[in-house]
Amino acid sequence: MTQPTPLAGLKVIEFTHMVMGPTVGAILASLGAEVVRVEPIGGDRTRNLVGSGSGYFPMYNRHKQSIALNLKDSAGLDIARKLVAEADILIENYRPGAMDRLGLGYDSLSEDNDRLIYCSEKGFLPGPYENRTALDEVAQMMGGLAYMTGPPGQPLRAGSSVIDVTGGMFGVIAILSAVEERHRTGKGQKVQSSLFETTVYLIGQHMAQKAVTGKAADPMPARISAWAIYDVFQTKDDPIFIGVVTDALWEKFCKLFSLDELWADESIRENNNRVAARDRIMPQIRELIATYKRDDLIALLDGTGLPFAQIARPEDMFEDPHLNASGGLEAVTLANGTETKLPALPIEMNGSRPSAPAKLKEEGADTASILLDLGFADDQIATLRSNGAVQ
């Protein structure tokens, strides 16, 4: 099937670094938009992060072109303005005020392109905190997610850049909403999403729990679950998660494992009563699960409708049979030539995945071709390079 490209024809200029801003461009590019990433001379420093940051650039910068500009040089800045003048969308996630100081703020750029949709990805939406420096971890701590993730008294950040990525997704939602509005009005607008408010949206269920029950939510490791069996269990070898989340599944679970005595107990046929009786139910269930090997248990549970999951690691996903069979991983060639697979956009459109092989570009790989498209001659490009305005 042909790769879906619903955003083909949209031109995007990206002034970003790290994760949140590049995520916006990565999603738009995977959906067919033409995304040009403006990097500094020498390349975005995110390219060279080590440790937990070494995967940021390849994950969130596929399917993009790269032009390297010196925005402190008047010629480089002029090229940036020319790019934006022909664009549909601009994405930026620099510190508040940085783009304005360069003359690349929305008010300035929209004078030359009133159809421009200008997306700012920030730590905070406008308000008392808006000039603070925020990171994914800062937002998780401030917004209550770290409190809910770790054990009591031990706040713990989630195990991926979940707020950066989700904040980027909200940026895409805002952009596409503005594109739809532009169809009616002919005008662009500035849109914004943020780390802090994204975090608060994600923990909104716990705020609502307090409003409904009058009791503050406990951290997830210490919570009273909504279901009696909803936990990680140790088998003879590796752990497994099992959830029994309806009364119909309780009946199925009891029959599958021949738990005749538990099923005969009509006092726990209803979910809330099972939760109240959890302390007497769980030891028996743990003892039962411990008699199985994990893979044997998976074979028994598969196809029953009972929720279950092996406890996988990120590296296990490279060989996951479902992902490999369904187009969930796309071939990626890293800038150094290494070939790998990375997650495709997790959606399907008209029976196809928006996924295609990708090769990460070196910084400035598309500088010459982009400048030619803007009308620059070869000798002008050579002069710009020799003067340090472009790479």
Side-chain angles (χ1 to χ4, degrees):
M1 291 185 179
T2 304
Q3 177 201 5
T5 55
L7 302 186
L10 286 179
K11 294 185 177 182
V12 182
I13 309 300
E14 184 182 311
F15 299 83
T16 68
H17 64 150
M18 300 298 276
V19 175
M20 190 188 190
T23 295
V24 181
I27 295 171
L28 297 177
S30 289
L31 292 170
E34 177 188 326
V35 179
V36 174
R37 198 166 191 281
V38 177
E39 297 192 55
I41 303 298
D44 176 9
R45 284 181 168 77
T46 307
R47 287 177 176 270
N48 302 312
L49 290 175
V50 298
S52 62
S54 59
Y56 290 175
F57 196 87
M59 180 61 202
Y60 303 111
N61 289 286
R62 289 170 277 164
H63 308 296
K64 300 177 184 179
Q65 299 177 59
S66 173
I67 183 171
L69 301 177
N70 180 0
L71 296 179
K72 295 180 180 178
D73 182 284
S74 59
L77 194 59
D78 184 58
I79 292 167
R81 292 187 68 94
K82 281 182 167 64
L83 284 170
V84 178
E86 298 184 358
D88 294 284
I89 299 158
L90 180 149
I91 308 162
E92 67 90 12
N93 72 321
Y94 288 108
R95 287 179 63 99
M99 293 288 281
D100 294 290
R101 287 191 292 273
L102 288 168
L104 297 174
Y106 174 71
D107 290 341
S108 175
L109 295 178
S110 62
E111 290 178 3
D112 298 324
N113 181 359
D114 65 356
R115 290 176 55 80
L116 180 67
I117 295 165
Y118 189 109
C119 177
S120 286
E121 300 282 295
K122 299 301 182 190
F124 306 89
L125 293 180
Y129 299 158
E130 65 183 297
N131 290 316
R132 290 190 187 182
T133 300
L135 303 167
D136 188 295
E137 197 145 346
V138 169
Q140 290 195 38
M141 298 292 172
M142 285 188 67
L145 182 58
Y147 172 83
M148 290 303 300
T149 303
Q154 300 177 49
L156 182 68
R157 67 156 289 159
S160 74
S161 301
V162 61
I163 304 303
D164 276 323
V165 175
T166 311
M169 292 165 62
F170 280 123
V172 172
I173 292 169
I175 287 169
L176 296 184
S177 298
V179 168
E180 175 60 26
E181 187 168 357
R182 191 177 69 177
H183 290 157
R184 299 191 298 273
T185 66
K187 302 291 185 182
Q189 61 182 281
K190 183 176 181 179
V191 300
Q192 192 166 331
S193 73
S194 69
L195 295 171
F196 177 62
E197 281 83 357
T198 290
T199 309
V200 175
Y201 192 88
L202 293 184
I203 60 94
Q205 67 193 83
H206 305 304
M207 297 170 64
Q209 178 183 336
K210 172 65 163 65
V212 170
T213 67
K215 182 180 181 299
D218 292 319
M220 294 296 277
R223 73 194 185 283
I224 296 176
S225 175
W227 304 282
I229 299 173
Y230 192 80
D231 215 330
V232 174
F233 297 85
Q234 184 59 51
T235 68
K236 283 183 176 180
D237 43 24
D238 297 310
I240 188 170
F241 169 84
I242 301 174
V244 179
V245 295
T246 68
D247 296 335
L249 286 176
W250 171 244
E251 180 178 9
K252 185 174 290 188
F253 183 81
C254 288
K255 288 181 178 178
L256 184 67
F257 290 102
S258 301
L259 296 170
D260 298 335
E261 289 186 13
L262 281 178
W263 177 247
D265 186 350
E266 296 188 7
S267 71
I268 54 173
R269 293 273 179 92
E270 198 275 330
N271 176 73
N272 289 353
N273 292 335
R274 286 194 300 279
V275 173
R278 191 172 189 270
D279 288 345
R280 70 179 175 88
I281 294 173
M282 283 297 284
Q284 184 174 344
I285 304 303
R286 291 196 183 280
E287 183 178 349
L288 167 72
I289 300 303
T291 65
Y292 289 85
K293 288 186 175 180
R294 187 198 66 179
D295 289 349
D296 293 338
L297 199 58
I298 289 173
L300 182 64
L301 289 165
D302 202 7
T304 65
L306 284 157
F308 71 93
Q310 66 269 38
I311 312 303
R313 299 166 297 182
E315 59 267 30
D316 296 333
M317 297 302 102
F318 287 114
E319 305 303 327
D320 184 87
H322 177 84
L323 292 174
N324 280 285
S326 64
L329 300 175
E330 65 181 30
V332 177
T333 303
L334 304 183
N336 65 4
T338 298
E339 294 185 356
T340 187
K341 296 177 290 186
L342 291 174
L345 207 62
I347 61 174
E348 184 178 275
M349 300 185 70
N350 198 28
S352 294
R353 297 290 296 269
S355 174
K359 177 175 173 55
L360 283 174
K361 302 288 188 73
E362 295 282 0
E363 66 270 15
D366 303 292
T367 297
S369 62
I370 292 170
L371 291 177
L372 287 169
D373 288 343
L374 287 175
F376 288 83
D378 288 334
D379 60 333
Q380 291 176 300
I381 296 172
T383 300
L384 287 166
R385 279 198 167 123
S386 64
N387 291 341
V390 307
Q391 178 184 340

